[in-house]
Amino acid sequence: TFVTFAWMIATRAARDDPRDSRPLDVVAAAIIVDGRVLLAQRSRPAELAGRWELPGGRVESGETHAAALTREIREELGAEVEPAESVGSPVALPGGLTLYAYVARLRSGTPTALEHLDVRWFSADELRLFDAAEIVPADRDWIPDLCAVLDGT
Ligand code: 9L3
Ligand code: MG
């Protein structure tokens, strides 16, 4: 019908596949240990490869943000975390997605680059000096928020 057709056009921009009914939320983890936050270097897609991010990914249907964050960090870094307070403001991503960041307490395991190119721990001073062009665009605005959290730990 026309309504269905119009809906497919409207949602095509938001999702690669119009049959993809997953939520439009993406969650990212600020894992903080000994006053330093973990950033991970993306391996894909090409336009983001080599840039640093707070690790995380898409929320699946029926999943809470906390559950998605725990799963993503287990998949991407092989570590167990417990999500806590939010960091900064949500960020609008291309394609209609919205990105949320949370402090995540490391429970066990050593975060390892299983899907990333590398992982690295940053102090607030190192973050402030880090070249913003090396951070994925969506995460750049969180740097002052992350520094404030680190300064408070
Ligand atoms: N993204 C941006 N910053 C982040 C994360 C975890 C994700 N800190 C963007 C990249 C992708 C989308 O969100 O466009 C989905 O993330 P992923 O599943 O590719 O990690
Ligand atoms: Mg990811």
Side-chain angles (χ1 to χ4, degrees):
T1 66
F2 173 75
V3 170
T4 306
F5 185 67
W7 176 83
M8 286 175 68
I9 298 290
T11 55
R12 184 167 282 271
R15 302 179 170 104
D16 296 336
D17 178 351
R19 294 158 298 176
D20 181 354
S21 61
R22 285 183 296 169
L24 295 171
D25 294 2
V26 182
V27 289
I31 304 171
I32 294 170
V33 175
D34 293 334
R36 294 190 297 168
V37 64
L38 186 100
L39 295 188
Q41 190 179 29
R42 286 193 69 100
S43 58
R44 57 163 191 91
E47 62 269 24
L48 296 179
R51 306 254 186 113
W52 295 81
E53 68 167 3
L54 292 181
R58 293 281 300 261
V59 175
E60 299 289 345
S61 299
E63 222 178 22
T64 62
H65 281 195
L69 203 68
T70 304
R71 174 184 52 73
E72 286 288 340
I73 297 308
R74 187 180 296 137
E75 289 172 2
E76 295 189 347
L77 303 176
E80 296 299 318
V81 296
E82 181 158 318
E85 67 271 20
S86 62
V87 178
S89 302
V91 175
L93 294 173
L97 299 170
T98 305
L99 178 65
Y100 300 81
Y102 297 91
V103 169
R105 307 202 188 290
L106 186 60
R107 287 281 173 239
S108 63
T110 302
T112 306
L114 302 177
E115 298 181 3
H116 289 83
L117 297 177
D118 199 4
V119 294
R120 201 192 290 176
W121 296 92
F122 292 82
S123 67
D125 285 342
E126 289 167 332
L127 263 192
R128 279 185 278 259
L129 291 172
F130 199 55
D131 181 357
E134 292 193 49
I135 298 172
V136 299
D139 296 28
R140 281 175 202 161
D141 288 349
W142 289 335
I143 297 303
D145 303 296
L146 289 169
C147 288
V149 174
L150 291 173
D151 289 338
T153 60

